[in-house]
Amino acid sequence: METQTLGHETILILDFGSQYTQLIARRVREAGVFCEIHPYNHPWRQNRPARLKGIILSGSPFSVNDEQAPLISADIYDSGVPVLGICYGLQLTSHLLGGRVAASSKKEYGRARLHIKQNSPLFKDLPPACDVWMSHGDKVLELPDGFEAIATTDNSPYAAIQHHSQPLYGLQFHPEVVHSEHGADIIKNFLFHICGCSGDWSANSFVEESIRHIREVVGDKQVLLGLSGGVDSSVAAVLIHKAIGDQLHCMFIDTGLLRLNEARQVEKMFRDAYNIRLTVIDSAASFYKALKGVTDPEHKRKIIGHEFINVFESESRRLGDFTFLAQGTLYPDVIESVSFKGPSATIKSHHNVGGLPEKMGFKLLEPLRELFKDEVRAVGKTLGLPAHLIGRHPFPGPGLAVRILGEITPERVHLLQKADDIYMEELRKAGLYDAIWQAFAVFIPVNTVGVMGDERTYESVVGLRAVNSVDGMTADWYPMPYEVLGRVSNRIINEVKGINRVVYDVSSKPPATIEWE
């Protein structure tokens, strides 16, 4: 399913490789305006959204004077569409329209005090001075004809600029980051007072128009969805079922690597509560067999992905003839595949049903591919999904296989399932579950000496992890209250035979990752 702007007014964000590009999109969406991110060289004129209201040019790690600098055609500024350049976007605007940009003798990183010098719709209802977040090595030395400075900092005489007669604006700072005071207000001013947006993007409007769109695309054909029990696939299942009813068939593959009682809970919810056609496949034995003796984390992921595809392929043929494969793909996944990021190292493989559409002739149905995670949760709430499912912490595709260091065995899985279940139960009792972005237990295959009763023990270790994050790109470890840690540790050691020590992970991302493998 292609990105389906669904008739909403749209802001186009052209990405020049900034680490903050997704944050720009989130701020625009939070204001109730739909937006799309595309690489800087996207042919937007040929693929212009029906209701294009404005264009935002992102930052970039490049200098506009670099030989390999990403550039665009200057005719974008004559399109009549309002343009806002952020950091590199401001420098690019100046560079393309005849101004002068050079490396600054004093680079500017971190907070700076912004002083507003001119009236501008961009700064409507803002105080005369506020703190903003800078991150640049170049600076504008001379503005193009027709532009004026509307704000300054001690190091940037052109911290914000605007054109005298055209809706063209530039900011040297990053309004999208939380460190910029009134940054969200500046973005809203661009959207509503310059672009003339009305703010017609919401979970309700998305659900209504998605249902209409799904019915139109699917027609009388059959749809197969691989249900995981997580937030994304669950919301996708309920949304598609609301649109086409029994034309949707869900398949849930129990890999044996799930949370405690998860298969039973998923079956009860979707089959009983939502009356969705659901087939549950118990494939634990085949996954354990394929993983026997394997300890390398990347190898484990690839084996699980391969086995999952084998099971999915054979079972789907048995279930019937399907035209569409539905997936809970989200917008960050789409952005990652199309945005201008340059070469990057593979940190770890991700597990999904990639490869199946081409191999089996499926057409893809991805109704959530326009949404960020928080928007998926809002859609789930609109659809009436229970709060405990909507607020569920992220769970990796390979399941507990990446939370068990070393070889995967049924015994280790069972130990970790029980320990993790105790951890989640105590977090809920303490009222902390919803305050934490992600929490889980890890099985560490290291035996340590302990004493239980009058006997010496030599058993395994469990690590506890809890982090707060917005999107998983960065994360801070959660300062868990000692009394909660004490209760969790006491219960695990007393109730899970085979574990005699519990530790807490106080690593942030970066340099660590959230998952241990």
Side-chain angles (χ1 to χ4, degrees), residues 229-337:
V231 178
D232 306 336
S233 68
S234 298
V235 171
V238 174
L239 178 62
I240 295 170
H241 184 258
K242 197 172 182 67
I244 60 172
D246 284 348
Q247 289 170 249
L248 171 68
H249 196 129
C250 291
M251 183 199 302
F252 181 85
I253 298 174
D254 184 355
T255 63
L257 304 168
L258 305 173
R259 288 166 281 204
L260 190 67
N261 301 321
E262 185 157 18
R264 189 159 65 245
Q265 291 166 0
V266 168
E267 187 169 7
K268 181 176 176 58
M269 174 179 293
F270 288 92
R271 187 177 285 159
D272 298 348
Y274 290 100
N275 200 30
I276 291 176
R277 294 168 69 200
L278 173 66
T279 298
V280 177
I281 313 294
D282 184 356
S283 297
S286 67
F287 279 86
Y288 287 143
K289 181 179 179 181
L291 289 165
K292 186 174 178 62
V294 178
T295 59
D296 178 74
E298 189 66 10
H299 193 194
K300 282 194 281 190
R301 287 176 179 271
K302 288 178 178 175
I303 287 173
I304 292 166
H306 181 73
E307 188 65 23
F308 189 93
I309 287 175
N310 285 343
V311 173
F312 194 95
E313 182 178 4
S314 61
E315 292 296 332
S316 65
R317 294 190 192 283
R318 187 179 62 81
L319 288 174
D321 184 22
F322 299 95
T323 302
F324 291 92
L325 174 67
Q327 296 188 152
T329 306
L330 302 192
Y331 200 41
D333 303 319
V334 177
I335 296 167
E336 195 64 34
S337 66

Side-chain angles (χ1 to χ4, degrees), residues 87 91 102-109 135-139 172:
C87 196
Q91 296 162 8
S104 175
S105 57
K106 182 182 177 184
K107 300 183 187 302
E108 205 169 15
Y109 296 101
S135 180
H136 64 100
D138 285 0
K139 68 188 298 185
Q172 183 59 78

Side-chain angles (χ1 to χ4, degrees), residues 122-305:
L122 202 58
F123 296 140
K124 180 177 169 58
D125 297 328
L126 260 65
C130 59
D131 286 341
V132 296
W133 189 259
M134 292 284 192
S135 180
H136 64 100
D138 285 0
K139 68 188 298 185
V140 175
L141 299 181
E142 186 178 323
L143 287 179
D145 290 343
F147 281 84
E148 63 179 339
I150 54 175
T152 64
T153 66
D154 289 344
N155 190 46
S156 294
Y158 306 121
I161 64 173
Q162 70 180 10
H163 193 274
H164 292 307
S165 58
Q166 299 181 60
L168 306 177
Y169 298 83
L171 301 172
Q172 183 59 78
F173 57 92
H174 289 275
E176 68 273 24
V177 303
V178 294
H179 309 296
S180 286
E181 283 185 303
H182 303 289
D185 295 325
I186 293 170
I187 291 174
K188 287 177 184 177
N189 283 339
F190 178 70
L191 299 175
F192 299 116
H193 298 298
I194 295 170
C195 298
C197 295
S198 62
D200 64 354
W201 173 254
S202 68
N204 283 329
S205 65
F206 175 83
V207 168
E208 291 171 6
E209 296 190 43
S210 289
I211 288 172
R212 205 156 50 235
H213 186 80
I214 291 166
R215 287 172 179 165
E216 180 183 316
V217 169
V218 173
D220 60 356
K221 301 296 190 294
Q222 297 291 308
V223 178
L224 178 64
L225 184 146
L227 189 65
S228 72
V231 178
D232 306 336
S233 68
S234 298
V235 171
V238 174
L239 178 62
I240 295 170
H241 184 258
K242 197 172 182 67
I244 60 172
D246 284 348
Q247 289 170 249
L248 171 68
H249 196 129
C250 291
M251 183 199 302
F252 181 85
I253 298 174
D254 184 355
T255 63
L257 304 168
L258 305 173
R259 288 166 281 204
L260 190 67
N261 301 321
E262 185 157 18
R264 189 159 65 245
Q265 291 166 0
V266 168
E267 187 169 7
K268 181 176 176 58
M269 174 179 293
F270 288 92
R271 187 177 285 159
D272 298 348
Y274 290 100
N275 200 30
I276 291 176
R277 294 168 69 200
L278 173 66
T279 298
V280 177
I281 313 294
D282 184 356
S283 297
S286 67
F287 279 86
Y288 287 143
K289 181 179 179 181
L291 289 165
K292 186 174 178 62
V294 178
T295 59
D296 178 74
E298 189 66 10
H299 193 194
K300 282 194 281 190
R301 287 176 179 271
K302 288 178 178 175
I303 287 173
I304 292 166

Side-chain angles (χ1 to χ4, degrees), residues 107 129 137 142 149 211 216 223 243 360 389 392 415 462 476 482:
K107 300 183 187 302
E142 186 178 323
I211 288 172
E216 180 183 316
V223 178
M360 299 181 65
L389 176 60
R392 199 174 196 187
L415 285 180
V462 158
D476 292 323
Y482 290 149

Side-chain angles (χ1 to χ4, degrees), residues 324-373:
F324 291 92
L325 174 67
Q327 296 188 152
T329 306
L330 302 192
Y331 200 41
D333 303 319
V334 177
I335 296 167
E336 195 64 34
S337 66
V338 302
S339 279
F340 174 66
K341 299 294 180 189
S344 59
T346 298
I347 305 302
K348 56 191 176 185
S349 299
H350 290 275
H351 162 62
N352 51 34
V353 289
L356 280 172
E358 297 82 2
K359 187 175 182 182
M360 299 181 65
F362 284 130
K363 295 179 181 178
L364 272 181
L365 186 66
E366 298 175 310
L368 308 180
R369 64 180 282 118
E370 298 172 339
L371 304 184
F372 289 102
K373 192 76 171 189

